[in-house]
Amino acid sequence: MSLSGKKVLHIDKNSYHGGESASISPLEELYRRFKVPGPPKSIRRGKEWNVDLVPKFFLATGQLVKILVHTEVTRYLDFKVVEGSYVFKAGKVHKVPATEEDAQSSDLMGMFDKRRFKKLLHFVLNFDTRNPRTHQDVDPEKTTTRELFSRFDLGQDVIEVTGHAIALHSSESYLDQPCLETINRIRRYCESLSRHNSSPYLYPLYGLGELPQGYARLSAEYGGTFLLNKPVDEIVMDNGKVKAVKSDGKVFHCKQLICDPSYVPNRVRKMGRVIRVICLLNHPVKNTHEASSCQIIIPQAELNRKSDVYICVVSYSHSLASDGMYIATVSTTVETNSPEKEVEPALELLEPIMQKLVTCLSVLRSVSVHHCNVFCMTLMILGLSPSPTCWFQMRTEERVRYREELPEAVTVLHTPVISMDV
């Protein structure tokens, strides 16, 4: 927005950027945040740790990476490839087969399933919405994903892996929706993987906290103003519209307000809860080929759940921990009154665990923002709290629409100026 000539004031009640999605350093600060004693003497050099509260991987060819390149904020960021992408099936951790070569060597599929899966990949990678000849009698707007998979005679195990570990759907609802979205998701995953052989994901060195800081530096170059560690005393409204923000005895007038849900609790609604368990390890996760970073997806059907369970593993290789140390974050949507029991199967894959830090937060979404100049957001303009997934998902149509609606004077509270669905 600063680059586009908007006057932007960024007020943050915290002393750091990122809000719920901040990177916490040193390690002692993380322990204080969770109100647990420590860290133990065996974990030294706390300043070497940068622990992301909500870790999210970047798909190499995803919209977010394209936006980072377009805005030139990448000059403030360094990325490194994530070493592996895995799925938990039949009691074991398997590498996600997203290429014909991987499918051929995968023990997730039988011989006939491998052939059918390769045909599906070939169809998806050659699919062009503008060229009906590539559709093979599939109507992408009417044919459901279930019907598409049935055309290729895929087995149930292959469907689960394809839908949840490659297309990255979090529930089964996608099966009865038009298949175009799933086709695009599979293509995006495969194209991202083709950039880097080990996995389709990237992660910034020193953690996700570098992302809002990079945008802050870029905004400051073009006149953006930042006030950290400043309380927001009142949002001044007039006839349902924002007129100003009162902070620390001062009044800042604006025509538009962008904020995370915590600033306007009367304009958000609860959409459920997400549990996250940050685990500090001194070893790589078993059956991941000693990967220093990876993602593991446990499809819902494996645990008789309605939503998947995710494990995000990062380590010293991304300058996030001391040498030889790992950070594994388990997350999922809460479905019962015992959220910690819901993630026990995932935690068992990580044993032994040196330290577990548990959070269980509500997912908040803004009430309709139409005809109102208040936008609630945590990491997105639509106002959705961080989801349990381990990767960023973009909603670029909303991003462009809201950017076009923004006036010249904008005030931002507590939020990186970036539009994404997290």
Side-chain angles (χ1 to χ4, degrees):
M1 290 189 290
S2 297
L3 267 66
S4 300
K6 312 295 183 184
K7 297 179 181 179
V8 180
L9 169 64
H10 184 132
I11 304 174
D12 200 324
K13 60 186 176 185
N14 298 313
S15 59
Y16 51 83
H17 295 288
E20 287 185 21
S21 303
S23 298
I24 303 300
S25 181
L27 188 61
E28 291 78 6
E29 179 61 29
L30 181 72
Y31 275 72
R32 285 194 291 269
R33 185 184 183 92
F34 282 87
K35 299 179 180 179
V36 295
K41 294 182 180 180
S42 57
I43 305 179
R44 299 178 180 178
R45 299 181 181 179
K47 292 183 179 179
E48 294 182 351
W49 292 74
N50 293 281
V51 182
D52 289 319
L53 299 179
V54 184
K56 298 276 185 180
F57 292 153
F58 297 69
L59 278 167
T61 60
Q63 289 293 335
L64 176 53
V65 171
K66 295 176 182 177
I67 289 173
L68 294 177
V69 172
H70 176 74
T71 58
E72 298 184 357
V73 76
T74 47
R75 62 189 177 189
Y76 301 110
L77 300 170
D78 291 310
F79 289 89
K80 187 174 181 180
V81 180
V82 174
E83 292 186 11
S85 180
Y86 297 87
V87 61
F88 182 83
K89 286 290 294 179
K92 293 175 58 180
V93 174
H94 305 264
K95 182 180 179 181
V96 176
T99 66
E100 294 185 11
E101 293 77 12
D102 288 343
Q104 195 62 37
S105 60
S106 176
D107 56 358
L108 280 171
M109 310 175 190
M111 181 177 63
F112 295 110
D113 274 333
K114 290 178 180 179
R115 292 179 180 177
R116 295 162 186 157
F117 180 70
K118 287 168 63 176
K119 289 181 179 178
L120 173 67
L121 286 181
H122 188 267
F123 167 77
V124 168
L125 294 177
N126 287 281
F127 185 88
D128 185 349
T129 54
R130 296 166 297 181
N131 184 1
R133 293 183 179 180
T134 66
H135 295 184
Q136 298 183 19
D137 296 326
V138 172
D139 186 336
E141 301 292 348
K142 294 183 179 180
T143 303
T144 66
T145 306
R146 190 187 303 276
E147 291 169 341
L148 176 67
F149 288 162
S150 179
R151 281 172 174 262
F152 290 91
D153 200 20
L154 300 184
Q156 186 59 36
D157 287 344
V158 180
I159 290 176
E160 288 181 7
V161 171
T162 303
H164 293 265
I166 299 177
L168 301 177
H169 290 292
S170 58
S171 68
E172 298 287 83
S173 60
Y174 78 97
L175 287 171
D176 297 311
Q177 296 173 357
C179 64
L180 180 59
E181 174 66 16
T182 297
I183 290 173
N184 289 335
R185 283 172 172 246
I186 296 174
R187 179 198 292 273
R188 184 164 57 243
Y189 186 100
C190 294
E191 290 177 347
S192 296
L193 182 61
S194 68
R195 295 283 183 93
H196 314 282
N197 292 328
S198 56
S199 88
Y201 301 113
L202 304 173
Y203 204 74
L205 296 182
Y206 305 106
L208 289 181
E210 295 298 295
L211 184 63
Q213 289 189 58
Y215 269 97
R217 295 187 190 107
L218 186 62
S219 176
E221 287 186 22
Y222 289 84
T225 304
F226 292 81
L227 298 176
L228 295 179
N229 204 23
K230 289 291 183 180
V232 174
D233 303 317
E234 182 185 355
I235 296 175
V236 181
M237 306 287 291
D238 183 15
N239 294 324
K241 291 190 175 183
V242 174
K243 291 297 182 182
V245 174
K246 292 183 178 180
S247 174
D248 209 14
K250 296 182 179 180
V251 179
F252 301 98
H253 294 275
C254 62
K255 296 180 180 179
Q256 203 92 19
L257 174 67
I258 300 175
C259 63
D260 80 25
S262 66
Y263 289 92
V264 282
N266 61 325
R267 291 182 177 271
V268 297
R269 64 180 184 274
K270 183 177 178 180
M271 302 292 290
R273 292 191 299 163
V274 170
I275 181 173
R276 283 188 178 82
V277 184
I278 299 174
C279 304
L280 307 185
L281 314 175
N282 60 1
H283 60 86
V285 179
K286 300 173 185 176
N287 301 315
T288 61
H289 304 91
E290 304 293 311
S292 62
S293 57
C294 67
Q295 173 183 260
I296 304 173
I297 296 177
I298 306 179
Q300 49 155 10
E302 291 295 304
L303 304 176
N304 294 316
R305 291 172 47 81
K306 297 178 181 178
S307 52
D308 298 344
V309 178
Y310 306 96
I311 304 174
C312 171
V313 181
V314 291
S315 70
Y316 62 93
S317 68
H318 280 83
S319 300
L320 299 171
S322 298
D323 286 346
M325 304 299 289
Y326 298 75
I327 306 167
T329 303
V330 177
S331 57
T332 191
T333 300
V334 175
E335 298 179 0
T336 70
N337 293 325
S338 303
E340 291 190 48
K341 288 186 177 180
E342 297 183 43
V343 296
E344 282 182 357
L347 296 176
E348 291 174 0
L349 299 177
L350 306 177
E351 294 290 354
I353 300 173
M354 299 181 67
Q355 180 69 59
K356 291 187 291 186
L357 304 169
V358 183
T359 60
C360 192
L361 300 176
S362 296
V363 176
L364 303 176
R365 183 159 192 162
S366 62
V367 180
S368 176
V369 297
H370 298 294
H371 309 297
C372 177
N373 67 341
V374 178
F375 293 83
C376 309
M377 57 187 281
T378 296
L379 282 180
M380 62 172 289
I381 270 178
L382 293 185
L384 186 66
S385 301
S387 71
T389 60
C390 292
W391 60 89
F392 284 109
Q393 296 174 329
M394 300 298 299
R395 287 189 177 180
T396 52
E397 291 181 3
E398 287 90 344
R399 176 186 63 83
V400 172
R401 176 166 58 84
Y402 289 133
R403 187 178 68 178
E404 290 173 347
E405 292 177 359
L406 290 174
E408 292 184 1
V410 181
T411 297
V412 180
L413 302 182
H414 189 95
T415 307
V417 185
I418 178 171
S419 313
M420 64 184 79
D421 181 356
V422 295

